[in-house]
Amino acid sequence: MLPLSDTIVAIATPPGEGAIGIIRLSGANAITIAAKIFSKKGLEQQPSHTLHFGKIVSNHTVIDEVVISLFKNPKSYTGEDVVEISCHGSNYILQQVVSVCLQHGARMAQAGEFTLRAFLNGKLDLTQAEAVADLIASQSNTAHRAAMHTLRGGFSEDLKDMREQLITFSALMELELDFSEEDVEFADRTRFYQLIGALTTVTQNLVNSFSLGNVIKNGVSVAIVGKPNAGKSTLLNTLLNEERAIVSDIAGTTRDTIEETLNINGIIFRLIDTAGIREHSKDLIELQGIERSREAMKKADIAVYLFDASVDQLDELKDQQRYFEENNIKYLLAGNKVDARGLEKAHDTYRGIDKQIIFISAKNKENINELKTALYDLVATGDLQQEGTIITNVRHYGALQEVLKSLHDIKSGLDNSVPGDLIALDIRHCLHYLGEITGEITTEDKLDYIFSKFCIGK
Ligand code: GDP
């Protein structure tokens, strides 16, 4: 970790041209440095939370006309003095302003260093700091809501409650140990037992929410597969409502894999369109397509197998099902082109298939919503609109599993009347992992690791 006494600087807006671009300075000398490069005098004497219009000047050359926002410690994002310089959004200007700040004593911020400082200055706990990164990365209303809930301290509150209740009991247990000669029980075992039961339920629910949380945060990858001419490109276009892939009558023309995203009720599905998965192809490019298609299916969370339901492909469909099942691939069956033959006939032909088939017409946009609902139902169990905490962070998930394990140990200790000092040890384990999640207990290495995954300027 680099010294916290340094004043740090970074571009806070994304690369590329924008109407405005923002440079952020944080640290004891943030305002002094800004004052040295700003055309208007007396910036240091200005009150916190004020805006100042002027010029950034270096060696008598005006770099840009800017607006400076002033945040004096402790009322700032990092808890230190913070200056934000809003420039015109040219990369050249932003680089110039940063370099002038560096000349006047600032140093380049490392990835996540602003948020790290906010954490170290007690502005955020670790779960909230991590939620900042999730919030910035959120691409759907559900990901946004889960990050916002954590950022506002929802998850921290759950953990704080658990920790406080456990600490009370742990203190009584430790007290008993001090009086071990006298065989007294300060900690009411029945109440303790109930508490452990309640904490186990809360923790288990949090652990369970991760499968949904993971889907919310990372989305779901979907491979649309099927023989050439099944209508995969047409379906992709229909789903995305735009002419992205080339639709063609010649079998096997969609050779490049294209990735697009689709938001179904707040879950992001990443669609991968692939070449057909025809077994016996003489065409080399087509064979590569098949290989890629197989690879995509293995990498994808879900495969949608699209087939032309206007013709009889019952045996092939059964083979295909066997392939999915043998390879543990989650899949959906979609019968396309029902407009050409009629829904009833399609149902009749495929009655022998023991899995639900969604019959659609990709071309005429029929039953597309049913297909979307089926995709959604395959991954989203549980209520996405729920207000409670949904775990989206794999680090929290790991620590919560350890919490759960120590709760089980405590319970079995109580069940088997093991000595108080051993139970006290399990309680300490449990408290340790709870503390690790919020960052009350942490190491410098761990912090470096967590914050290194942020972008510069965050
Ligand atoms: P791909 O090779 O699987 O990507 O198939 P395409 O999307 O290129 O479609 C192959 C042919 O089937 C094209 O002529 C499409 O217009 C046609 N097609 C696709 N969907 C439907 C549909 O729902 N009904 C009918 N009748 N034809 C369709």
Side-chain angles (χ1 to χ4, degrees):
M1 205 181 284
L2 287 167
L4 292 166
S5 51
D6 292 350
T7 294
I8 52 174
V9 65
I11 300 172
T13 38
E17 273 175 36
I20 54 171
I22 297 175
I23 285 144
R24 207 187 230 173
L25 277 158
S26 179
N29 294 326
I31 301 177
T32 321
I33 293 170
K36 280 187 194 151
I37 62 174
F38 196 48
S39 59
K40 289 231 177 100
K41 298 296 149 218
L43 196 63
E44 284 124 314
Q45 285 75 48
Q46 299 302 319
S48 184
H49 293 69
T50 52
L51 299 177
H52 306 275
F53 177 70
K55 300 180 190 74
I56 298 290
V57 185
S58 168
N59 293 329
H60 310 290
T61 309
V62 174
I63 299 177
D64 196 11
E65 289 190 337
V66 303
V67 172
I68 282 187
S69 323
L70 221 52
F71 306 90
K72 291 193 169 172
N73 82 81
K75 289 188 164 180
S76 72
Y77 179 63
T78 59
E80 304 173 328
D81 282 346
V82 169
V83 173
E84 286 182 5
I85 308 173
S86 303
C87 312
H88 291 101
S90 123
N91 222 18
Y92 173 76
I93 292 176
L94 293 172
Q95 300 282 0
Q96 288 297 305
V97 176
V98 167
S99 98
V100 182
C101 290
L102 295 176
Q103 282 162 28
H104 286 83
R107 98 164 138 74
M108 275 312 292
Q110 288 189 315
E113 204 173 356
F114 292 93
T115 310
L116 171 65
R117 289 182 176 203
F119 165 69
L120 293 172
N121 290 325
K123 286 273 162 183
L124 305 163
D125 73 18
L126 209 46
T127 63
Q128 291 172 309
E130 288 167 314
V132 172
D134 290 346
L135 191 64
I136 294 170
S138 64
Q139 287 186 33
S140 68
N141 64 335
T142 44
H144 171 255
R145 181 160 355 100
M148 214 52 197
H149 177 82
T150 304
L151 184 60
R152 287 203 182 130
F155 182 33
S156 312
E157 280 300 313
D158 298 343
L159 297 171
K160 204 169 133 222
D161 276 0
M162 290 173 73
R163 244 171 95 81
E164 276 169 7
Q165 296 184 60
L166 260 183
I167 284 171
T168 312
F169 264 96
S170 147
L172 291 171
M173 285 291 236
E174 308 261 346
L175 200 62
E176 274 177 24
L177 297 181
D178 291 343
F179 290 88
S180 56
E181 311 273 286
E182 289 154 47
D183 197 24
V184 285
E185 264 192 15
F186 293 116
D188 179 340
R189 294 292 189 272
T190 317
R191 274 195 52 213
F192 189 40
Y193 204 81
Q194 285 166 353
L195 174 69
I196 296 302
L199 294 184
T200 304
T201 309
V202 174
T203 312
Q204 187 68 60
N205 286 344
L206 288 171
V207 166
N208 292 350
S209 75
F210 181 67
S211 63
L212 181 60
N214 193 34
V215 161
I216 289 176
K217 183 169 167 178
N218 299 319
V220 182
S221 53
V222 181
I224 300 176
V225 294
K227 295 204 319 187
N229 261 338
K232 297 181 296 298
S233 310
T234 313
L235 175 61
L236 186 72
N237 288 338
T238 300
L239 285 171
L240 299 171
N241 279 333
E242 59 172 274
E243 297 289 309
R244 267 297 268 118
I246 312 145
V247 183
S248 153
D249 275 335
I250 311 157
T253 42
T254 318
R255 284 184 179 125
D256 293 318
T257 59
I258 299 167
E259 210 184 280
E260 290 279 8
T261 61
L262 184 69
N263 181 336
I264 307 177
N265 299 335
I267 303 245
I268 300 292
F269 289 84
R270 293 189 305 278
L271 298 172
I272 310 161
D273 182 34
T274 63
I277 55 166
R278 190 168 54 180
E279 282 288 354
H280 308 289
S281 173
K282 292 169 207 88
D283 179 336
L284 184 65
I285 304 171
E286 184 61 33
L287 270 176
Q288 286 171 348
I290 293 166
E291 195 46 45
R292 266 211 309 265
S293 193
R294 287 258 152 97
E295 284 302 307
M297 264 197 281
K298 286 199 180 122
K299 271 189 245 147
D301 299 312
I302 298 178
V304 173
Y305 183 72
L306 189 71
F307 61 97
D308 183 347
S310 69
V311 291
D312 183 347
Q313 304 198 5
L314 197 58
D315 290 338
E316 272 183 65
L317 203 55
K318 284 183 177 161
D319 287 347
Q320 195 58 46
Q321 262 193 304
R322 206 170 306 121
Y323 174 81
F324 286 135
E325 268 147 33
E326 280 168 8
N327 289 281
N328 278 328
I329 297 170
K330 241 189 196 180
Y331 68 100
L332 272 185
L333 298 178
N336 192 25
K337 309 194 187 181
V338 285
D339 56 298
R341 196 153 165 250
L343 196 54
E344 253 172 54
K345 275 198 181 137
H347 269 297
D348 274 350
T349 311
Y350 293 98
R351 210 174 286 287
I353 299 289
D354 57 358
K355 188 179 164 79
Q356 187 202 2
I357 299 174
I358 298 127
F359 289 104
I360 61 167
S361 166
K363 197 157 121 184
N364 296 353
K365 304 182 174 48
E366 278 170 47
N367 278 352
I368 300 302
N369 275 339
E370 279 77 353
L371 183 63
K372 285 187 183 175
T373 307
L375 270 174
Y376 178 87
D377 288 345
L378 214 53
V379 294
T381 47
D383 182 7
L384 286 186
Q385 306 308 317
Q386 72 190 38
E387 286 302 316
T389 304
I390 296 173
I391 300 300
T392 60
N393 184 308
V394 69
R395 189 183 73 81
H396 303 166
Y397 177 64
L400 283 168
Q401 280 179 317
E402 295 296 336
V403 170
L404 203 56
K405 198 167 152 285
S406 18
L407 286 171
H408 285 312
D409 290 345
I410 297 170
K411 182 173 175 292
S412 83
L414 289 171
D415 284 340
N416 299 308
S417 309
V418 306
D421 50 350
L422 291 181
I423 295 184
L425 199 67
D426 288 330
I427 299 179
R428 257 177 263 149
H429 273 156
C430 194
L431 287 171
H432 172 87
Y433 287 112
L434 283 172
E436 258 201 352
I437 303 175
T438 47
E440 275 152 318
I441 297 163
T442 190
T443 63
E444 203 172 289
D445 283 351
K446 222 170 223 164
L447 287 182
D448 278 346
Y449 174 72
I450 292 168
F451 285 95
S452 68
K453 290 192 288 187
F454 280 61
C455 306
I456 309 276
K458 234 181 249 173

